[in-house]
Amino acid sequence: MLNIQSHVSLKSYNTFGIDANARYWVEVNSEEDLQTVLQLNDFIDQPKLILGGGSNVLLCHDFDGLVVKMNIQGIDVTREDADHVYITAGAGVNWHELVLFCVGRGYAGMENLSLIPGTVGAAPMQNIGAYGVELEQVFESLTAIHVMTSEKKIFTHTDCAFGYRESVFKRELKGQYIITSVTFQLNKRPIFHTRYGAIQETLTEMGITDETLSIKAISDAVIRIRRSKLPDPAQIGNAGSFFKNPEIPEDQFNRLKVAYPALPGYPIDDTIVKVPAGWLIEQAGWKGYRSGDAGVHAKQALVLVNYDKATGDEIMALARKVQQSVLETFGITISPEVNVI
């Protein structure tokens, strides 16, 4: 039975802890629930906001429409072959719980994506990634419901048109589909990714050698790193990394490297280099900055935080100041990866 409520506070449903309200609110536990909601005459023309874990959203005002909380659960092994296992998970499944499910069963590919906040349904939308691995590397397909027609559609890897923190659902099909489940292709024989960030150093500190290396060890290392650098949203409101790491031309990177010899860079191809946004923000002097209850985290400059009662507008105003400062200092534009509502 659907329970559509009015004037619901969203403070506990977004990890920034922003105090905003939804005009209407409903939780859906199945594709059928979702299709029913979308077909209700009272809500066909209402604006809709889809919420998973609320970990990638900044609410700058009340939402004058219908907020749909995706709570579709279930993790199932749907098929396997000699090399792969295919896992289908509901859109409302907690992402980290899915990773632990796979790691615990020896299904390889997601271990570097441990402890990323949010839900399964939101993960393909921005092609989540961390420590040298992106979701598209383990993605097989997804199921989504069209907002206007309520028809179900299967999207393949090609259909999703993944990019860096991008997909077709953030571009051409933005607002047109709601993801209900995702199928992943995991490896029976692991391919270890340990060179990005501090993974190798952390594995060494943990006493892990080449002989004892496993996907669980990598997952444990990533969890240790993330907990040491990133604030717990239950303690300090935040949405994790606020900005994307910019990709710049190699010649621009080489010029900056002369002026800033410590500038890190990760080649994307022969002409493009990815630069850590957190390093740029820190060098521009923003790490640990605070204005009222809006701030830049003291341990990780990539994370903007709400210390208590900051509004979405105050967080966004700070974000713009950081963007302008980085542009003036380095000539590099950094863009939010958080969805600003």
Side-chain angles (χ1 to χ4, degrees), residues 106-321:
Y107 306 151
M110 287 187 179
E111 54 276 4
N112 291 56
L113 306 179
S114 297
L115 212 62
I116 293 178
T119 55
V120 167
M125 293 186 68
Q126 70 169 61
N127 188 22
I128 63 171
Y131 300 103
V133 173
E134 293 188 331
L135 174 132
E136 66 171 307
Q137 294 169 239
V138 294
F139 178 89
E140 201 265 342
S141 64
L142 64 80
T143 302
I145 303 294
H146 193 278
V147 171
M148 296 305 297
T149 67
S150 296
E151 292 180 353
K152 185 189 300 188
K153 180 176 178 178
I154 305 297
F155 286 81
T156 66
H157 193 291
T158 301
D159 294 334
C160 292
F162 291 118
Y164 174 57
R165 301 299 174 269
E166 291 283 352
S167 74
V168 70
F169 302 103
K170 291 184 71 176
R171 301 189 303 266
E172 298 91 332
L173 297 183
K174 184 175 182 179
Q176 295 185 41
Y177 283 90
I178 300 172
I179 297 169
T180 56
S181 67
V182 184
T183 299
F184 302 91
Q185 176 184 280
L186 285 306
N187 299 317
K188 290 185 175 180
R189 288 181 288 275
I191 300 171
F192 299 123
H193 299 276
T194 62
R195 294 185 178 182
Y196 198 97
I199 291 182
Q200 188 57 60
E201 177 184 344
T202 304
L203 288 168
T204 301
E205 292 173 356
M206 292 166 55
I208 302 298
T209 65
D210 290 345
E211 290 72 28
T212 59
L213 184 61
S214 65
I215 60 173
K216 185 179 187 306
I218 291 175
S219 175
D220 290 344
V222 169
I223 291 169
R224 180 182 291 199
I225 295 166
R226 293 184 72 90
R227 284 179 172 159
S228 71
K229 288 185 175 183
L230 302 176
D232 182 351
Q235 305 297 324
I236 304 174
N238 74 93
S241 300
F242 194 90
F243 297 100
K244 302 176 187 177
N245 292 321
E247 298 176 354
I248 64 175
E250 184 183 33
D251 58 351
Q252 181 184 8
F253 175 78
N254 291 336
R255 290 195 302 272
L256 285 168
K257 192 76 171 172
V258 174
Y260 304 94
L263 174 66
Y266 304 93
I268 301 300
D269 54 34
D270 292 338
T271 61
I272 301 295
V273 178
K274 183 184 292 185
V275 177
W279 189 92
L280 300 173
I281 296 166
E282 181 175 349
Q283 296 303 307
W286 290 95
K287 188 175 183 180
Y289 175 87
R290 178 170 178 172
S291 175
D293 282 335
V296 180
H297 193 246
K299 292 184 178 180
Q300 173 51 271
L302 195 55
V303 179
L304 302 189
V305 296
N306 172 16
Y307 284 105
D308 188 11
K309 297 180 180 179
T311 65
D313 283 338
E314 289 169 341
I315 298 289
M316 198 60 217
L318 173 58
R320 293 191 185 99
K321 290 179 182 178

Side-chain angles (χ1 to χ4, degrees), residues 92-104:
V93 171
N94 176 277
W95 175 261
H96 185 55
E97 289 181 8
L98 174 63
V99 174
L100 294 181
F101 175 93
C102 294
V103 169

